[in-house]
Amino acid sequence: MARPLRVAFYGAGQVSRNAAEILRRRPGIEVLGPFGRGERDAALGSGADVVVIATTSFLSDVADDVRDAVEAGSNVITTAEEAAYPWANDAAAADRLDALARSRGVTILGAGLNPGFAFDALVLTACGVVPEVESLLVERVVDVSGFGETVLRRIGVGHSPESFEEGRRAGTVTGHIGFPQSMQVVAARLGVAIERIDRELDPIFAEQGLAASSLVVNPGETAGFRQRYAAVSDGRLWFEALFTAHVSPQAIGQEPRDAITIRGPHGGVNMAVVPGMNPQSGSASIVANSVRRVVVAAPGWTTVADLPPAVPR
Amino acid sequence: MARPLRVAFYGAGQVSRNAAEILRRRPGIEVLGPFGRGERDAALGSGADVVVIATTSFLSDVADDVRDAVEAGSNVITTAEEAAYPWANDAAAADRLDALARSRGVTILGAGLNPGFAFDALVLTACGVVPEVESLLVERVVDVSGFGETVLRRIGVGHSPESFEEGRRAGTVTGHIGFPQSMQVVAARLGVAIERIDRELDPIFAEQGLAASSLVVNPGETAGFRQRYAAVSDGRLWFEALFTAHVSPQAIGQEPRDAITIRGPHGGVNMAVVPGMNPQSGSASIVANSVRRVVVAAPGWTTVADLPPAVPR
């Protein structure tokens, strides 16, 4: 019998715990951790077949962790949103880690539901049935009521109008992170050069009190937000991403959904997932389902555009 | 500048012509043909980077053509439905051609919309967001009014009740071909063992005269058909495929659509493409969009389960 595939988790948050739980039920996989920040060496130095780094959203915060896991001989999956397309944030660091991974014969992948699936892998898959892509529209409505308080405050929920505005200016209220990364993944694969990406982030205020699992939103505070990212290529709108997050989408007459519109010859494609993909179990599943594909992938820092589907196995 | 990618087409039918036309518009690609049956050597002996074989549905009819193109050093894409998972029809021939392709460093792929996308690649992609797959249901309604007469008669359109029944028994009326192949592609990737696949093929008779582009269906003749394929694993229904083809779906109260239901924890996934993916431009696009991925794929006979998305580039 083949030896089990060893998967170590660094970061003890929700995604790590859920993905580890999924993998523990699968034959042929041995799970190490999840390890918290105080057990860094146990995780990154484990030499496991795959190290999953699920700690923060930012490339600069995970770069050294990725390096250390690669140097210990492990393939790396990280949920850091900026890692979905690291060249968008720090091309030099991305190239350096890419070269290191190639020299060690391992693969690095930024994986998750968003970025990593809803606005990129699924979009590219749907593009398969059109002869050319004129433009793209992806809309996602998410119920974030199950998110932890720290994440909710950072993305923009539970703020007074002033606190939201101040946080947005200071960069402490970010909205959801990862849309430019998804757009760059799609653009790179389609051979499209993005000129610029316009961004909007607008608060949605609660008209009545609303309870999320980790906080209560009072009337007048932000219960959610809308984001619009618009990538321009060749002087015209090429990829528009509309994202609505809310602790109670029903309260604003919306239901969680994912919709992809590909405009092209012969009517393009209109695809919808209703109800929308579950942000928690979806993210954890994509991470768990990426373990086997990352082990057999070509060495280097790769993206979901170059990989076969992540599947539960 | 890199030399252009050379793509030769063998078979001068609709898919070949449409895919060739798509590729001719793309920079960096040179199209040879489409070549008809009388120009076999020009196509299969071209030594093109990719030879597209779009002649018949059956593995036994394309096996020698695949072999000759591989021996001339070409990667091969074939639209033969049975080639989507050749081990289902003739494992020995599949293994032999797989070994030959490996020895020549080229890739063989059975590609198309169905099989190749609607019931397999797209299904596997959607499986990415679930922790496990309990069962699968894929439904497709297709308007076949644009198909040529030969194909329509063979799949089961334009027949009297007697002629349909006789053809079904004799194997000259086949319905759409490729569902077992799609199921095997998905099963192999998910690690599922299929015990058996139950099959049904039922005629749909016209109540009034209906005109397709290549024939007229008189009242009482078949204007379409329904197929149901049910793959059983571990004693229970694991993958159900429902397919309705009709020259006028509206006449039976249906509209062209594709729907995928993945049953699993957390509600699974419900995905729909409405209107359904266009059978003609969809097939031609998938073939054209597979050219670049087949060139960089690992050598051997591969399936869509092991490849990144086909994209227009």
Side-chain angles (χ1 to χ4, degrees), chain A residues 26 113 117 125 127-131 188-191 266 270-274 281 285-286 289 305-313, chain B residues 26 113 117 125 127-131 188-190 266 270-274 281 285-286 289 305-313:
Chain A
R26 295 191 185 162
L113 185 60
F117 192 81
T125 300
C127 285
V129 299
V130 299
R189 188 84 164 88
L190 295 182
H266 308 288
N270 291 288
M271 178 184 282
V273 181
V274 181
S281 74
S285 297
I286 287 277
N289 296 344
D306 287 313
L307 294 182
V311 299
R313 175 157 192 193
Chain B
R26 294 190 187 163
L113 184 60
F117 192 79
T125 300
C127 285
V129 299
V130 299
R189 188 83 166 91
L190 295 182
H266 308 287
N270 291 287
M271 178 184 285
V273 181
V274 182
S281 74
S285 297
I286 287 276
N289 296 345
D306 287 313
L307 294 182
V311 299
R313 171 146 194 205

